[in-house]
Amino acid sequence: MNSSRALIVLLVASLSITTLLAAGAHGDALPFAPETRLTAKEQKALLQAETYLNGAQYPRRDGHRVLYLYGAGQPVLICSPLNVCLIELEAGENIRPGSVHLGDQARWQVSPIMGAGERTHLVVKPTDVGLETTMAIVTDRRTYYLRLVSRLEDHMPAIAWLYPGDLEDRMGAFYATEAARKQEQVFVATGEDIAKLDFNYTVSGCSTCLWRPLRVYNDGEQTIIQLGRSMPELEAPALLVVSGKTEGLANYRLSGDRYVVDHVFEEAILVAGLGASRDKVRIKRGQHR
């Protein structure tokens, strides 16, 4: 009789354990202590967390990688025991010591490696099929929180992230580069675009004249003659435009150390002084071709 009662007790205990395991497998109540009731504030906080976990992640493919938008939802990495998965961080981003945390450390293997361009990777491998856990990675730039799933054959070779500020940073760098390039192509004093100017002139004569032109150029409508820096302190030379065998006084205006002529001439002469002792500088267009 005692043995019969013992058998009944064992059968009841076995049935109870089987029921608990089945309930756990189907997501029903597990043999834990009763849950604490949440306040309205705590429920709101939980709702925010669930919104993140189920948020739009915008995954897209980039080569062998699946790209997630950072901060737009919880990314998922699907791995297989017979394949290696990679988590790729941003170039130059470093993992803080002891800052990789797994919900299931016994059945998931994670190893850090350094790839090309100083880019940190995490190699992830499950030891079995049907596993699911979460993983947190803390770096010197941000914190990642992702979900790991293991399947028999399905797997993702690698995952990485798009960062919300990347486009703004790239556009900012582009505009800065363009501004620097344009700055190199303009005269600071006038703002003229060098690429649109014709500098194809030769200047000859009176190498000792302090007002001898530093440069001569035209913009298609005007000819600009930039004289030496000492010119404003001296008597300004006269400008004669050569047309055939005649020399005629040109119409021009003085702007700082520049003569501005309202047309494009082929040849001109700058003259200072009187009689045989006068100084002459000749300017010719197109002599460099």
Side-chain angles (χ1 to χ4, degrees):
M1 187 70 176
N2 292 335
S3 59
S4 297
R5 288 179 178 175
L7 181 59
I8 291 173
V9 170
L10 288 174
L11 288 173
V12 171
S14 175
L15 180 60
S16 300
I17 292 171
T18 302
T19 302
L20 287 173
L21 292 174
H26 289 86
D28 297 329
L30 293 175
F32 295 134
E35 290 187 330
T36 302
R37 293 179 62 86
L38 300 179
T39 65
K41 183 178 181 180
E42 291 166 344
Q43 289 176 351
K44 185 176 181 180
L46 181 61
L47 178 61
Q48 296 296 325
E50 290 175 345
T51 300
Y52 162 75
L53 294 174
N54 300 317
Q57 301 165 32
Y58 303 105
R60 70 175 179 84
R61 186 174 66 85
D62 177 29
H64 65 286
R65 306 179 304 173
V66 173
L67 294 181
Y68 289 100
L69 180 63
Y70 180 79
Q74 184 184 37
V76 179
L77 177 61
I78 300 172
C79 296
S80 165
L82 301 179
N83 293 285
V84 170
C85 293
L86 291 175
I87 298 173
E88 183 176 312
L89 303 182
E90 188 179 28
E93 186 174 16
N94 299 303
I95 300 173
R96 297 187 180 278
S99 295
V100 176
H101 304 278
L102 281 164
D104 183 355
Q105 298 184 30
R107 296 182 295 176
W108 289 86
Q109 301 171 355
V110 179
S111 302
I113 59 171
M114 186 63 71
E118 297 298 312
R119 192 181 290 270
T120 301
H121 297 71
L122 291 173
V123 180
V124 180
K125 251 193 116 175
T127 60
D128 201 352
V129 176
L131 305 179
E132 184 174 347
T133 190
T134 54
M135 180 180 188
I137 307 166
V138 181
T139 75
D140 56 358
R141 295 183 183 175
R142 53 184 68 88
T143 298
Y144 301 86
Y145 185 74
L146 56 154
R147 184 165 147 258
L148 306 180
V149 176
S150 70
R151 293 176 62 84
L152 180 61
E153 296 181 355
D154 301 325
H155 78 288
M156 298 175 178
I159 64 170
W161 283 266
L162 293 168
Y163 302 98
D166 279 356
L167 178 58
E168 290 82 357
D169 292 343
R170 287 195 296 270
M171 293 302 292
F174 169 76
Y175 287 126
T177 301
E178 280 297 294
R181 182 185 65 81
K182 290 180 180 179
Q183 188 63 31
E184 292 175 354
Q185 294 184 340
V186 301
F187 289 135
V188 176
T190 64
E192 294 169 302
D193 187 349
I194 296 176
K196 298 178 180 179
L197 304 179
D198 178 11
F199 291 87
N200 194 20
Y201 290 84
T202 58
V203 177
S204 60
C206 196
S207 59
T208 60
C209 292
L210 296 179
W211 46 262
R212 193 175 193 268
L214 298 176
R215 62 175 61 90
V216 181
Y217 58 93
N218 75 76
D219 60 4
E221 296 180 0
Q222 296 178 325
T223 303
I224 295 89
I225 304 169
Q226 185 178 2
L227 305 178
R229 293 185 179 88
S230 299
M231 191 279 299
E233 303 172 6
L234 305 172
E235 182 182 351
L239 178 64
L240 305 176
V241 172
V242 178
S243 178
K245 295 183 179 181
T246 63
E247 301 173 358
L249 192 64
N251 292 322
Y252 63 89
R253 63 183 180 276
L254 184 62
S255 176
D257 63 346
R258 291 169 167 82
Y259 281 6
V260 180
V261 185
D262 288 327
H263 66 277
V264 178
F265 58 76
E266 297 298 320
E267 185 176 355
I269 301 172
L270 286 169
V271 180
L274 298 172
S277 62
R278 67 179 184 168
D279 297 317
K280 296 175 64 174
V281 171
R282 189 172 296 273
I283 300 170
K284 287 188 177 182
R285 180 171 178 247
Q287 298 303 301
H288 292 172
R289 294 175 182 171

